[in-house]
Amino acid sequence: MMDYFSMSDWQKNTASTQTSQWPVPPDSIRYVVPDPIVRLMADHPLTRELYPLAFGHYRKAAGHHMHREHHRDNLLIYCTDGKAFLNVLGEPHTVEAGDLLLLPAGANHRYTADPDNPWSIHWVHYTGPLAEDFRNYMGFDGSNRIRHLGRQPRLLVDFNGLLSVRQTGFRARGLIHAANRLRQLLAAVPLNADETSHERRAELDTIHNYMREHLDERITLEQLAELAGLSPAHFATRYREQTGTSPIQHFLHLKVERACQMLDTSDLSFADISRRLGYDDAYYFSRLFKKVMGQSPRDYRHTPRH
């Protein structure tokens, strides 16, 4: 496997991504992946589904602007300070601190940093067959190009993880690592989004703490909704929007997790475990357990694990 190549090779093979030509000051970073490494990542089994083309960090990017008519890759921008004005497919937007912006391949656009309060951004151009799947997974669609995440230290850690390949001489192994850091970054966006509303987060924490404290009972949707001060229907809808599952389903999964712990760490019969988790009918709970785990409690207990 190619692990590095000479600077003369790089000079002959400028990367094809469309980064801006904004002159980068000393406190900012633009890292463009050379074409030979891009071709390697496009073929390599560990990277070919998703890989970066360029990434960087611009601080107080005064004069930063770009206009792309034929956008070939995907561009994810996280604004940490300041403001910029954006137009995507003829629709105007304002990007401010805490906003995560996705410009997908094919979407012509232009953006300009606010002259009076220029944005500071982390950004990455990327491509690959999984790009569209990750776009949907992150919650972006044709009508939703910006997600307001607020200040997210974990997201900054992920962006900075890409930049850890700097000063490695364009070693392919470092960029293969960066490609998988990119996948981690995109996969974490919904987790960061879940934390954007402190009020909603606090509400979920209250509900989940209540569930964990009552694993020995059979609680109802009405009880949980009353705890949240909502009607059962409204509570169930909002809970699913925030978590992707129903509250009762999550409560069942917590019970099954606890049952697994007891099977692993005690000699209790499954009938005893069922009673401790609020089920007098061990056969019924056994069926629920198998539906969640894909195997019966007996098989789970006797499956060798390390």
PDB file of all heavy atoms in Angstrom, residues 63-90:
ATOM      1  N   GLY A  63     -13.332  38.843   5.098  1.00  0.00           N
ATOM      2  CA  GLY A  63     -13.186  38.773   3.654  1.00  0.00           C
ATOM      3  C   GLY A  63     -13.409  37.396   3.067  1.00  0.00           C
ATOM      4  O   GLY A  63     -13.253  37.205   1.852  1.00  0.00           O
ATOM      5  N   HIS A  64     -13.789  36.428   3.891  1.00  0.00           N
ATOM      6  CA  HIS A  64     -14.001  35.067   3.400  1.00  0.00           C
ATOM      7  C   HIS A  64     -15.293  34.997   2.576  1.00  0.00           C
ATOM      8  O   HIS A  64     -16.367  35.372   3.054  1.00  0.00           O
ATOM      9  CB  HIS A  64     -14.094  34.103   4.585  1.00  0.00           C
ATOM     10  CG  HIS A  64     -14.255  32.671   4.197  1.00  0.00           C
ATOM     11  ND1 HIS A  64     -15.077  31.803   4.872  1.00  0.00           N
ATOM     12  CD2 HIS A  64     -13.695  31.944   3.183  1.00  0.00           C
ATOM     13  CE1 HIS A  64     -15.014  30.611   4.322  1.00  0.00           C
ATOM     14  NE2 HIS A  64     -14.187  30.675   3.294  1.00  0.00           N
ATOM     15  N   HIS A  65     -15.179  34.550   1.354  1.00  0.00           N
ATOM     16  CA  HIS A  65     -16.370  34.418   0.507  1.00  0.00           C
ATOM     17  C   HIS A  65     -16.127  33.317  -0.515  1.00  0.00           C
ATOM     18  O   HIS A  65     -14.988  32.967  -0.831  1.00  0.00           O
ATOM     19  CB  HIS A  65     -16.694  35.736  -0.198  1.00  0.00           C
ATOM     20  CG  HIS A  65     -15.613  36.186  -1.142  1.00  0.00           C
ATOM     21  ND1 HIS A  65     -15.585  35.837  -2.478  1.00  0.00           N
ATOM     22  CD2 HIS A  65     -14.504  36.944  -0.928  1.00  0.00           C
ATOM     23  CE1 HIS A  65     -14.511  36.376  -3.046  1.00  0.00           C
ATOM     24  NE2 HIS A  65     -13.843  37.046  -2.131  1.00  0.00           N
ATOM     25  N   MET A  66     -17.225  32.741  -1.026  1.00  0.00           N
ATOM     26  CA  MET A  66     -17.128  31.667  -2.012  1.00  0.00           C
ATOM     27  C   MET A  66     -18.413  31.597  -2.811  1.00  0.00           C
ATOM     28  O   MET A  66     -19.498  31.848  -2.282  1.00  0.00           O
ATOM     29  CB  MET A  66     -16.878  30.321  -1.306  1.00  0.00           C
ATOM     30  CG  MET A  66     -16.583  29.180  -2.248  1.00  0.00           C
ATOM     31  SD  MET A  66     -15.012  29.432  -3.136  1.00  0.00           S
ATOM     32  CE  MET A  66     -15.041  28.063  -4.275  1.00  0.00           C
ATOM     33  N   HIS A  67     -18.294  31.257  -4.105  1.00  0.00           N
ATOM     34  CA  HIS A  67     -19.442  31.060  -4.974  1.00  0.00           C
ATOM     35  C   HIS A  67     -19.179  29.813  -5.806  1.00  0.00           C
ATOM     36  O   HIS A  67     -18.217  29.761  -6.568  1.00  0.00           O
ATOM     37  CB  HIS A  67     -19.656  32.274  -5.880  1.00  0.00           C
ATOM     38  CG  HIS A  67     -20.870  32.155  -6.751  1.00  0.00           C
ATOM     39  ND1 HIS A  67     -21.095  32.997  -7.816  1.00  0.00           N
ATOM     40  CD2 HIS A  67     -21.934  31.296  -6.722  1.00  0.00           C
ATOM     41  CE1 HIS A  67     -22.235  32.654  -8.404  1.00  0.00           C
ATOM     42  NE2 HIS A  67     -22.753  31.637  -7.740  1.00  0.00           N
ATOM     43  N   ARG A  68     -20.003  28.779  -5.606  1.00  0.00           N
ATOM     44  CA  ARG A  68     -19.846  27.527  -6.340  1.00  0.00           C
ATOM     45  C   ARG A  68     -21.113  27.252  -7.138  1.00  0.00           C
ATOM     46  O   ARG A  68     -22.181  27.047  -6.559  1.00  0.00           O
ATOM     47  CB  ARG A  68     -19.575  26.362  -5.396  1.00  0.00           C
ATOM     48  CG  ARG A  68     -18.296  26.493  -4.577  1.00  0.00           C
ATOM     49  CD  ARG A  68     -18.100  25.275  -3.675  1.00  0.00           C
ATOM     50  NE  ARG A  68     -16.907  25.371  -2.847  1.00  0.00           N
ATOM     51  CZ  ARG A  68     -16.883  25.864  -1.609  1.00  0.00           C
ATOM     52  NH1 ARG A  68     -18.014  26.325  -1.073  1.00  0.00           N
ATOM     53  NH2 ARG A  68     -15.763  25.915  -0.936  1.00  0.00           N
ATOM     54  N   GLU A  69     -21.006  27.252  -8.440  1.00  0.00           N
ATOM     55  CA  GLU A  69     -22.145  26.921  -9.304  1.00  0.00           C
ATOM     56  C   GLU A  69     -22.329  25.416  -9.411  1.00  0.00           C
ATOM     57  O   GLU A  69     -23.438  24.909  -9.476  1.00  0.00           O
ATOM     58  CB  GLU A  69     -21.948  27.517 -10.700  1.00  0.00           C
ATOM     59  CG  GLU A  69     -22.193  29.019 -10.771  1.00  0.00           C
ATOM     60  CD  GLU A  69     -23.668  29.375 -10.634  1.00  0.00           C
ATOM     61  OE1 GLU A  69     -24.532  28.476 -10.756  1.00  0.00           O
ATOM     62  OE2 GLU A  69     -23.957  30.554 -10.387  1.00  0.00           O
ATOM     63  N   HIS A  70     -21.209  24.690  -9.474  1.00  0.00           N
ATOM     64  CA  HIS A  70     -21.258  23.235  -9.660  1.00  0.00           C
ATOM     65  C   HIS A  70     -20.480  22.587  -8.520  1.00  0.00           C
ATOM     66  O   HIS A  70     -19.304  22.287  -8.649  1.00  0.00           O
ATOM     67  CB  HIS A  70     -20.682  22.840 -11.018  1.00  0.00           C
ATOM     68  CG  HIS A  70     -21.327  23.544 -12.171  1.00  0.00           C
ATOM     69  ND1 HIS A  70     -22.610  23.244 -12.584  1.00  0.00           N
ATOM     70  CD2 HIS A  70     -20.887  24.550 -12.968  1.00  0.00           C
ATOM     71  CE1 HIS A  70     -22.924  24.032 -13.604  1.00  0.00           C
ATOM     72  NE2 HIS A  70     -21.902  24.831 -13.853  1.00  0.00           N
ATOM     73  N   HIS A  71     -21.186  22.400  -7.421  1.00  0.00           N
ATOM     74  CA  HIS A  71     -20.565  21.891  -6.207  1.00  0.00           C
ATOM     75  C   HIS A  71     -20.432  20.373  -6.310  1.00  0.00           C
ATOM     76  O   HIS A  71     -21.429  19.657  -6.403  1.00  0.00           O
ATOM     77  CB  HIS A  71     -21.432  22.286  -4.999  1.00  0.00           C
ATOM     78  CG  HIS A  71     -20.805  21.999  -3.677  1.00  0.00           C
ATOM     79  ND1 HIS A  71     -19.482  22.237  -3.404  1.00  0.00           N
ATOM     80  CD2 HIS A  71     -21.337  21.488  -2.532  1.00  0.00           C
ATOM     81  CE1 HIS A  71     -19.222  21.896  -2.157  1.00  0.00           C
ATOM     82  NE2 HIS A  71     -20.328  21.437  -1.610  1.00  0.00           N
ATOM     83  N   ARG A  72     -19.204  19.852  -6.288  1.00  0.00           N
ATOM     84  CA  ARG A  72     -18.982  18.438  -6.565  1.00  0.00           C
ATOM     85  C   ARG A  72     -18.940  17.570  -5.307  1.00  0.00           C
ATOM     86  O   ARG A  72     -19.110  16.355  -5.400  1.00  0.00           O
ATOM     87  CB  ARG A  72     -17.665  18.262  -7.339  1.00  0.00           C
ATOM     88  CG  ARG A  72     -17.690  18.896  -8.725  1.00  0.00           C
ATOM     89  CD  ARG A  72     -16.458  18.502  -9.509  1.00  0.00           C
ATOM     90  NE  ARG A  72     -15.224  19.013  -8.909  1.00  0.00           N
ATOM     91  CZ  ARG A  72     -14.674  20.176  -9.239  1.00  0.00           C
ATOM     92  NH1 ARG A  72     -15.254  20.960 -10.134  1.00  0.00           N
ATOM     93  NH2 ARG A  72     -13.548  20.569  -8.668  1.00  0.00           N
ATOM     94  N   ASP A  73     -18.648  18.177  -4.154  1.00  0.00           N
ATOM     95  CA  ASP A  73     -18.541  17.373  -2.940  1.00  0.00           C
ATOM     96  C   ASP A  73     -19.516  17.893  -1.891  1.00  0.00           C
ATOM     97  O   ASP A  73     -20.373  18.721  -2.174  1.00  0.00           O
ATOM     98  CB  ASP A  73     -17.100  17.366  -2.424  1.00  0.00           C
ATOM     99  CG  ASP A  73     -16.558  18.786  -2.219  1.00  0.00           C
ATOM    100  OD1 ASP A  73     -17.281  19.612  -1.639  1.00  0.00           O
ATOM    101  OD2 ASP A  73     -15.428  19.066  -2.654  1.00  0.00           O
ATOM    102  N   ASN A  74     -19.402  17.408  -0.684  1.00  0.00           N
ATOM    103  CA  ASN A  74     -20.232  17.849   0.434  1.00  0.00           C
ATOM    104  C   ASN A  74     -19.376  18.695   1.366  1.00  0.00           C
ATOM    105  O   ASN A  74     -18.208  18.370   1.617  1.00  0.00           O
ATOM    106  CB  ASN A  74     -20.782  16.641   1.189  1.00  0.00           C
ATOM    107  CG  ASN A  74     -21.583  15.725   0.295  1.00  0.00           C
ATOM    108  OD1 ASN A  74     -22.779  15.907   0.121  1.00  0.00           O
ATOM    109  ND2 ASN A  74     -20.927  14.730  -0.285  1.00  0.00           N
ATOM    110  N   LEU A  75     -19.963  19.759   1.879  1.00  0.00           N
ATOM    111  CA  LEU A  75     -19.228  20.671   2.747  1.00  0.00           C
ATOM    112  C   LEU A  75     -20.001  20.861   4.050  1.00  0.00           C
ATOM    113  O   LEU A  75     -21.143  21.326   4.049  1.00  0.00           O
ATOM    114  CB  LEU A  75     -19.032  22.021   2.048  1.00  0.00           C
ATOM    115  CG  LEU A  75     -18.418  23.147   2.882  1.00  0.00           C
ATOM    116  CD1 LEU A  75     -17.076  22.764   3.461  1.00  0.00           C
ATOM    117  CD2 LEU A  75     -18.301  24.424   2.026  1.00  0.00           C
ATOM    118  N   LEU A  76     -19.372  20.469   5.163  1.00  0.00           N
ATOM    119  CA  LEU A  76     -19.949  20.644   6.486  1.00  0.00           C
ATOM    120  C   LEU A  76     -19.194  21.763   7.191  1.00  0.00           C
ATOM    121  O   LEU A  76     -17.962  21.732   7.270  1.00  0.00           O
ATOM    122  CB  LEU A  76     -19.839  19.351   7.287  1.00  0.00           C
ATOM    123  CG  LEU A  76     -20.582  19.315   8.628  1.00  0.00           C
ATOM    124  CD1 LEU A  76     -22.092  19.277   8.415  1.00  0.00           C
ATOM    125  CD2 LEU A  76     -20.127  18.108   9.453  1.00  0.00           C
ATOM    126  N   ILE A  77     -19.928  22.762   7.680  1.00  0.00           N
ATOM    127  CA  ILE A  77     -19.335  23.928   8.336  1.00  0.00           C
ATOM    128  C   ILE A  77     -19.955  24.095   9.722  1.00  0.00           C
ATOM    129  O   ILE A  77     -21.183  24.109   9.862  1.00  0.00           O
ATOM    130  CB  ILE A  77     -19.566  25.216   7.520  1.00  0.00           C
ATOM    131  CG1 ILE A  77     -18.910  25.120   6.141  1.00  0.00           C
ATOM    132  CG2 ILE A  77     -19.031  26.431   8.263  1.00  0.00           C
ATOM    133  CD1 ILE A  77     -19.225  26.310   5.227  1.00  0.00           C
ATOM    134  N   TYR A  78     -19.108  24.241  10.725  1.00  0.00           N
ATOM    135  CA  TYR A  78     -19.575  24.522  12.079  1.00  0.00           C
ATOM    136  C   TYR A  78     -19.080  25.909  12.468  1.00  0.00           C
ATOM    137  O   TYR A  78     -17.878  26.148  12.565  1.00  0.00           O
ATOM    138  CB  TYR A  78     -19.048  23.469  13.050  1.00  0.00           C
ATOM    139  CG  TYR A  78     -19.487  23.662  14.483  1.00  0.00           C
ATOM    140  CD1 TYR A  78     -20.810  23.967  14.802  1.00  0.00           C
ATOM    141  CD2 TYR A  78     -18.580  23.517  15.534  1.00  0.00           C
ATOM    142  CE1 TYR A  78     -21.221  24.131  16.115  1.00  0.00           C
ATOM    143  CE2 TYR A  78     -18.969  23.676  16.855  1.00  0.00           C
ATOM    144  CZ  TYR A  78     -20.296  23.981  17.141  1.00  0.00           C
ATOM    145  OH  TYR A  78     -20.705  24.148  18.445  1.00  0.00           O
ATOM    146  N   CYS A  79     -20.010  26.829  12.657  1.00  0.00           N
ATOM    147  CA  CYS A  79     -19.687  28.212  12.999  1.00  0.00           C
ATOM    148  C   CYS A  79     -19.601  28.335  14.520  1.00  0.00           C
ATOM    149  O   CYS A  79     -20.562  28.017  15.221  1.00  0.00           O
ATOM    150  CB  CYS A  79     -20.749  29.154  12.446  1.00  0.00           C
ATOM    151  SG  CYS A  79     -20.499  30.891  12.870  1.00  0.00           S
ATOM    152  N   THR A  80     -18.459  28.787  15.009  1.00  0.00           N
ATOM    153  CA  THR A  80     -18.265  28.918  16.455  1.00  0.00           C
ATOM    154  C   THR A  80     -18.304  30.361  16.942  1.00  0.00           C
ATOM    155  O   THR A  80     -18.372  30.605  18.148  1.00  0.00           O
ATOM    156  CB  THR A  80     -16.915  28.288  16.872  1.00  0.00           C
ATOM    157  OG1 THR A  80     -15.858  28.930  16.135  1.00  0.00           O
ATOM    158  CG2 THR A  80     -16.905  26.799  16.588  1.00  0.00           C
ATOM    159  N   ASP A  81     -18.246  31.307  15.992  1.00  0.00           N
ATOM    160  CA  ASP A  81     -18.269  32.712  16.381  1.00  0.00           C
ATOM    161  C   ASP A  81     -18.618  33.547  15.158  1.00  0.00           C
ATOM    162  O   ASP A  81     -18.409  33.120  14.013  1.00  0.00           O
ATOM    163  CB  ASP A  81     -16.900  33.126  16.933  1.00  0.00           C
ATOM    164  CG  ASP A  81     -16.943  34.481  17.648  1.00  0.00           C
ATOM    165  OD1 ASP A  81     -18.031  34.860  18.122  1.00  0.00           O
ATOM    166  OD2 ASP A  81     -15.900  35.144  17.721  1.00  0.00           O
ATOM    167  N   GLY A  82     -19.166  34.735  15.383  1.00  0.00           N
ATOM    168  CA  GLY A  82     -19.436  35.639  14.272  1.00  0.00           C
ATOM    169  C   GLY A  82     -20.653  35.250  13.449  1.00  0.00           C
ATOM    170  O   GLY A  82     -21.557  34.548  13.912  1.00  0.00           O
ATOM    171  N   LYS A  83     -20.626  35.710  12.178  1.00  0.00           N
ATOM    172  CA  LYS A  83     -21.812  35.571  11.331  1.00  0.00           C
ATOM    173  C   LYS A  83     -21.382  35.545   9.872  1.00  0.00           C
ATOM    174  O   LYS A  83     -20.344  36.081   9.493  1.00  0.00           O
ATOM    175  CB  LYS A  83     -22.753  36.760  11.578  1.00  0.00           C
ATOM    176  CG  LYS A  83     -24.058  36.729  10.829  1.00  0.00           C
ATOM    177  CD  LYS A  83     -24.827  38.046  10.985  1.00  0.00           C
ATOM    178  CE  LYS A  83     -25.203  38.349  12.412  1.00  0.00           C
ATOM    179  NZ  LYS A  83     -26.043  39.579  12.511  1.00  0.00           N
ATOM    180  N   ALA A  84     -22.214  34.902   9.032  1.00  0.00           N
ATOM    181  CA  ALA A  84     -22.002  34.918   7.584  1.00  0.00           C
ATOM    182  C   ALA A  84     -23.360  34.898   6.894  1.00  0.00           C
ATOM    183  O   ALA A  84     -24.370  34.480   7.477  1.00  0.00           O
ATOM    184  CB  ALA A  84     -21.153  33.733   7.128  1.00  0.00           C
ATOM    185  N   PHE A  85     -23.368  35.343   5.655  1.00  0.00           N
ATOM    186  CA  PHE A  85     -24.594  35.377   4.857  1.00  0.00           C
ATOM    187  C   PHE A  85     -24.468  34.326   3.752  1.00  0.00           C
ATOM    188  O   PHE A  85     -23.471  34.276   3.038  1.00  0.00           O
ATOM    189  CB  PHE A  85     -24.801  36.768   4.283  1.00  0.00           C
ATOM    190  CG  PHE A  85     -24.800  37.836   5.340  1.00  0.00           C
ATOM    191  CD1 PHE A  85     -23.726  38.705   5.465  1.00  0.00           C
ATOM    192  CD2 PHE A  85     -25.851  37.939   6.235  1.00  0.00           C
ATOM    193  CE1 PHE A  85     -23.696  39.673   6.454  1.00  0.00           C
ATOM    194  CE2 PHE A  85     -25.846  38.909   7.228  1.00  0.00           C
ATOM    195  CZ  PHE A  85     -24.769  39.775   7.344  1.00  0.00           C
ATOM    196  N   LEU A  86     -25.509  33.505   3.644  1.00  0.00           N
ATOM    197  CA  LEU A  86     -25.484  32.333   2.773  1.00  0.00           C
ATOM    198  C   LEU A  86     -26.668  32.356   1.823  1.00  0.00           C
ATOM    199  O   LEU A  86     -27.768  32.785   2.187  1.00  0.00           O
ATOM    200  CB  LEU A  86     -25.534  31.064   3.651  1.00  0.00           C
ATOM    201  CG  LEU A  86     -25.829  29.727   2.978  1.00  0.00           C
ATOM    202  CD1 LEU A  86     -24.630  29.264   2.165  1.00  0.00           C
ATOM    203  CD2 LEU A  86     -26.207  28.678   4.032  1.00  0.00           C
ATOM    204  N   ASN A  87     -26.439  31.894   0.605  1.00  0.00           N
ATOM    205  CA  ASN A  87     -27.534  31.681  -0.336  1.00  0.00           C
ATOM    206  C   ASN A  87     -27.342  30.303  -0.945  1.00  0.00           C
ATOM    207  O   ASN A  87     -26.291  30.000  -1.515  1.00  0.00           O
ATOM    208  CB  ASN A  87     -27.526  32.757  -1.426  1.00  0.00           C
ATOM    209  CG  ASN A  87     -28.780  32.700  -2.286  1.00  0.00           C
ATOM    210  OD1 ASN A  87     -28.975  31.752  -3.039  1.00  0.00           O
ATOM    211  ND2 ASN A  87     -29.619  33.722  -2.193  1.00  0.00           N
ATOM    212  N   VAL A  88     -28.364  29.445  -0.813  1.00  0.00           N
ATOM    213  CA  VAL A  88     -28.312  28.084  -1.354  1.00  0.00           C
ATOM    214  C   VAL A  88     -29.502  27.889  -2.275  1.00  0.00           C
ATOM    215  O   VAL A  88     -30.654  28.052  -1.851  1.00  0.00           O
ATOM    216  CB  VAL A  88     -28.349  27.018  -0.243  1.00  0.00           C
ATOM    217  CG1 VAL A  88     -28.154  25.627  -0.845  1.00  0.00           C
ATOM    218  CG2 VAL A  88     -27.305  27.290   0.810  1.00  0.00           C
ATOM    219  N   LEU A  89     -29.225  27.602  -3.524  1.00  0.00           N
ATOM    220  CA  LEU A  89     -30.291  27.379  -4.508  1.00  0.00           C
ATOM    221  C   LEU A  89     -31.291  28.535  -4.503  1.00  0.00           C
ATOM    222  O   LEU A  89     -32.509  28.346  -4.619  1.00  0.00           O
ATOM    223  CB  LEU A  89     -31.009  26.053  -4.240  1.00  0.00           C
ATOM    224  CG  LEU A  89     -30.139  24.795  -4.338  1.00  0.00           C
ATOM    225  CD1 LEU A  89     -30.927  23.565  -3.905  1.00  0.00           C
ATOM    226  CD2 LEU A  89     -29.621  24.603  -5.764  1.00  0.00           C
ATOM    227  N   GLY A  90     -30.773  29.767  -4.346  1.00  0.00           N
ATOM    228  CA  GLY A  90     -31.613  30.959  -4.388  1.00  0.00           C
ATOM    229  C   GLY A  90     -32.271  31.323  -3.080  1.00  0.00           C
ATOM    230  O   GLY A  90     -32.965  32.343  -3.015  1.00  0.00           O
TER     231      GLY A  90
END
